[in-house]
Amino acid sequence: MMENDKNNKSSLPEARLMQQILKARHTDLEEEKRLCKELLSVSEAEQYYYGSAFANVYLMDSQLSMGEYTSCDFYLLRAVFLCREYGYDDLMLVLCNNAGLYYQKLNDDQTALSYLLEGKKLAEKLGDITMLGKLYNNIGYSFGGRDDWESAGVYFRLAYRTVEDHLDEENKRSSISYLSNIAEACRNLGDLEGARKAMERCEELGADSAYSRVRLGVSWCSYYAMCEDWDKFTEMADRLINSDLLAVEDHFFICDMAESLCTEMLAACDEKRADRLLAIMDNLEYDNSLSLKYRIQCLKIRCWEQFGETDKLDQAYRDYYEIVKDVSAVEDDMRIQSMLSKIQINQAMHEHEEMVRNKRALENASQLDELTGLYNRRYFNKLLSKMTHKEDGKKLGFIMLDVDYFKPYNDFYGHFKGDDALKSVARVLKDNQMDGMYVSRYGGDEFVCLCMDLEDRDIEEYIKRVGRDMEAVAIPHEKSPGPKVLTVSMGYCNEIYRKGMDWEPVLNRADRELYSIKKKKRARIKN
């Protein structure tokens, strides 16, 4: 499909915005969102489809990361359409991973898995080791979320093995996450030895970031709890509560880790540390995320029930009721937004198809001669440029044609009749056209036929049929010194093509052959 010349992804003003978006997504989600909307506005104004696709992909990314799921569907559908329509595999790969995570959040495992597996194929096609690891890991999450820890462990191990020989800074961080997930799968299968080995490998890699220390620390806490080594359990938990958790900026990540740790505290009947973890989660800024509020509220209810905190439990249930009402309203809104998004996407697709049809019509019009409907000289030159890529040993030929005594015809019958005569010649040329022939109006009453990989006998047969059909049309030509009907003269040259060969001498030889034939015709008429 043809598109704006800007859609080659290189040296664009929009490239600056894309770089800023990729930087902001790791540090400032609101800034990522703002930059994406700016890129979308600029790209749509310029009909720069790659920029529009990029903006929609990362708008969905920012909404997903912030837990704002209501608009995810709209950006997802738009991004999918653009990426598939124009073959933006690099963006579709990112989108498949995010779509998998989105549908996991909605508990739609079938759709999530469909996107993740599509992403896996793209990652393999593009040779993107980092994304392939992430996709394997997220497939593992789908199984883990349904307590199929055996299958989850298989995919977590695939994720780690994919990147273990390519441990740059990003893959090193990812490896610690994959190994922590392997440890979780092992613990859930009762394989404490496997869990310990996975966590020891994490330590060998060096958990030097706050995120890595927290993730690994929570894994060790779960391991010590299963081993009933309460001294090490409380030592690690206190380090996380008092220091490491507070050093992380990502509130969603803190909530995930604190929730896991609080669950271990409930199992250990440690009310004091459970209360401190709930306080940490209460202090997080998550006003826009009902999903986080809901999870924290469920955890509070479990705590106050287990520890017999009646007053706190009554308030927790009242708060829970209000959150559930909000969640229900949001879910209804998400369903409505999803339907509206699909309607908008359907409308956008129709508008896009109409635009493409109009564009193709304009492109076709620019390729054709207005009078005859044959290719024009400009498009003929484009076709010739493609011939430089032909294989050695193939035939490349030209047939040159002009109308005999056309000026006297035009002067006597007038320009309108002259135009009609040229249309008739063009119709005969086109009706007899063979596969591998491209007929063009070269200018005035001259025509040229480009012949690709045709034998001389094919070209000679074509010339005979055109001459015969012109006689059959029998357009009167009172001013012709020869036959009193309109005739044409044709000459050709057909040669073996060699790579890098200059086609102009071949065309010139066809032109000389044409005028040689015309000269012989005139000589016969004089005699």
Side-chain angles (χ1 to χ4, degrees):
M1 180 171 294
M2 299 291 292
E3 48 173 318
N4 190 308
D5 288 341
K6 289 187 73 177
N7 289 283
N8 55 18
K9 310 182 207 174
S10 61
S11 302
L12 301 168
E14 290 87 345
R16 174 183 53 81
L17 282 170
M18 293 182 204
Q19 290 169 358
Q20 291 174 337
I21 288 166
L22 293 176
K23 183 178 179 181
R25 70 187 294 247
H26 296 297
T27 56
D28 188 340
L29 294 173
E30 285 293 346
E31 178 67 0
E32 178 189 10
K33 183 177 172 182
R34 186 194 69 77
L35 289 167
C36 283
K37 288 188 174 180
E38 183 181 345
L39 174 62
L40 186 61
S41 176
V42 172
S43 298
E44 288 182 344
E46 295 287 329
Q47 291 188 10
Y48 175 42
Y49 305 133
Y50 185 83
S52 295
F54 189 101
N56 279 288
V57 167
Y58 285 97
L59 274 167
M60 194 239 176
D61 177 73
S62 65
Q63 301 296 91
L64 183 63
S65 298
M66 290 189 289
E68 297 177 4
Y69 303 137
T70 53
S71 52
C72 280
D73 208 38
F74 175 69
Y75 296 125
L76 171 61
L77 289 171
R78 291 184 69 184
V80 166
F81 169 68
L82 288 166
C83 289
R84 287 184 173 153
E85 180 76 1
Y86 293 108
Y88 300 144
D89 286 350
D90 56 334
L91 295 179
M92 191 66 196
L93 174 56
V94 176
L95 188 62
C96 282
N97 189 54
N98 285 342
L101 295 172
Y102 170 61
Y103 283 107
Q104 283 176 351
K105 299 287 186 185
L106 300 183
N107 293 316
D108 185 350
D109 291 326
Q110 188 172 0
T111 305
L113 198 56
S114 175
Y115 272 109
L116 292 171
L117 290 173
E118 181 181 352
K120 172 182 167 293
K121 288 182 181 177
L122 284 172
E124 290 170 342
K125 174 183 173 182
L126 298 173
D128 192 327
I129 298 298
T130 300
M131 281 302 298
L132 185 58
K134 290 178 180 179
L135 288 155
Y136 277 134
N137 185 64
N138 291 334
I139 292 170
Y141 271 130
S142 287
F143 287 107
R146 292 292 177 262
D147 290 327
D148 182 355
W149 290 104
E150 189 170 343
S151 297
V154 168
Y155 282 99
F156 292 149
R157 287 184 178 87
L158 279 170
Y160 175 65
R161 288 170 188 161
T162 298
V163 301
E164 68 175 325
D165 294 328
H166 308 274
L167 291 179
D168 57 18
E169 185 176 347
E170 182 177 2
N171 284 338
K172 186 178 176 181
R173 287 195 303 269
S174 297
S175 291
I176 291 171
S177 175
Y178 304 156
L179 287 163
S180 297
N181 291 337
I182 291 169
E184 183 181 7
C186 288
R187 288 196 304 273
N188 280 282
L189 294 170
D191 179 8
L192 292 178
E193 180 65 16
R196 183 182 59 78
K197 286 181 177 178
M199 291 184 293
E200 286 175 348
R201 176 60 182 140
C202 279
E203 291 184 334
E204 289 172 11
L205 289 173
D208 47 5
S209 72
Y211 289 89
S212 299
R213 286 196 301 274
V214 169
R215 187 178 291 278
L216 184 56
V218 171
S219 291
W220 276 117
C221 278
S222 298
Y223 173 79
Y224 293 140
M226 288 191 72
C227 297
E228 298 184 355
D229 188 340
W230 302 113
D231 289 340
K232 289 184 178 179
F233 172 80
T234 54
E235 180 186 349
M236 180 63 71
D238 286 342
R239 194 190 82 184
L240 289 165
I241 293 168
N242 297 327
S243 174
D244 289 347
L245 271 174
L246 305 177
V248 175
E249 296 179 0
D250 186 337
H251 290 179
F252 293 91
F253 176 79
I254 294 173
C255 184
D256 280 341
M257 296 296 102
E259 184 181 16
S260 297
L261 203 52
C262 195
T263 301
E264 296 295 349
M265 296 307 162
L266 292 178
C269 297
D270 189 333
E271 183 177 1
K272 177 185 173 184
R273 289 182 176 85
D275 212 16
R276 289 171 66 188
L277 286 162
L278 287 172
I280 288 173
M281 287 187 276
D282 267 338
N283 289 328
L284 297 177
E285 295 177 8
Y286 51 83
D287 291 342
N288 292 326
S289 179
L290 279 173
S291 61
L292 273 186
K293 286 183 178 180
Y294 178 79
R295 285 163 53 190
I296 293 169
Q297 202 60 33
C298 289
L299 196 57
K300 285 180 178 180
I301 290 170
R302 286 176 60 195
C303 283
W304 308 148
E305 281 181 340
Q306 180 167 330
F307 299 125
E309 298 280 355
T310 307
D311 293 341
K312 290 181 179 179
L313 185 60
D314 288 344
Q315 184 60 47
Y317 271 120
R318 284 193 290 271
D319 293 342
Y320 174 81
Y321 175 70
E322 293 300 321
I323 292 170
V324 167
K325 283 200 303 183
D326 290 341
V327 168
S328 179
V330 167
E331 286 176 347
D332 288 341
D333 187 48
M334 284 177 68
R335 281 189 283 270
I336 292 168
Q337 287 296 328
S338 179
M339 289 187 290
L340 290 174
S341 295
K342 286 173 182 174
I343 291 169
Q344 289 175 320
I345 291 298
N346 189 54
Q347 182 179 353
M349 286 172 65
H350 284 306
E351 290 174 356
H352 181 77
E353 287 167 1
E354 180 65 23
M355 182 190 72
V356 168
R357 280 195 295 271
N358 291 338
K359 192 171 184 181
R360 283 176 174 168
L362 287 171
E363 286 167 353
N364 288 336
S366 71
Q367 294 172 1
L368 301 179
D369 175 62
E370 187 176 354
L371 177 67
T372 64
L374 300 176
Y375 290 129
N376 58 32
R377 185 165 181 171
R378 185 175 68 172
Y379 189 68
F380 170 76
N381 289 332
K382 282 188 178 181
L383 284 173
L384 281 177
S385 70
K386 293 179 182 179
M387 295 305 99
T388 58
H389 302 292
K390 282 172 63 70
E391 298 174 13
D392 284 357
K394 301 289 186 180
K395 287 287 188 73
L396 172 66
F398 299 96
I399 305 170
M400 294 294 295
L401 174 149
D402 76 0
V403 181
D404 296 327
Y405 304 105
F406 185 68
K407 187 177 184 307
Y409 181 92
N410 227 16
D411 292 343
F412 182 74
Y413 291 99
H415 290 292
F416 288 115
K417 280 289 187 181
D419 286 349
D420 288 340
L422 292 175
K423 290 178 187 177
S424 296
V425 173
R427 193 159 43 247
V428 169
L429 290 172
K430 197 166 185 179
D431 287 347
N432 287 286
Q433 188 172 294
M434 301 177 181
D435 289 342
M437 284 185 171
Y438 298 86
V439 184
S440 306
R441 186 183 179 194
Y442 205 56
D445 64 323
E446 288 187 313
F447 299 83
V448 61
C449 180
L450 172 63
C451 301
M452 297 171 58
D453 203 25
L454 292 173
E455 299 298 328
D456 288 5
R457 62 177 177 274
D458 299 322
I459 295 173
E460 289 167 3
E461 177 61 27
Y462 176 76
I463 290 172
K464 286 179 184 176
R465 289 208 308 260
V466 168
R468 186 174 62 241
D469 285 1
M470 282 303 302
E471 289 177 9
V473 172
I475 300 170
H477 189 351
E478 291 296 327
K479 293 299 179 180
S480 170
K484 298 305 177 182
V485 293
L486 201 70
T487 58
V488 297
S489 296
M490 304 174 74
Y492 80 92
C493 183
N494 192 36
E495 296 189 4
I496 299 291
Y497 177 82
R498 299 295 176 198
K499 193 170 183 179
M501 173 179 166
D502 186 357
W503 50 263
E504 285 193 25
V506 184
L507 182 62
N508 289 336
R509 283 192 282 276
D511 197 42
R512 287 198 298 272
E513 180 66 16
L514 165 65
Y515 281 96
S516 174
I517 289 169
K518 289 180 73 72
K519 188 176 179 181
K520 290 175 183 176
K521 273 188 176 182
R522 287 171 180 162
R524 284 198 300 270
I525 290 169
K526 285 181 181 180
N527 294 331

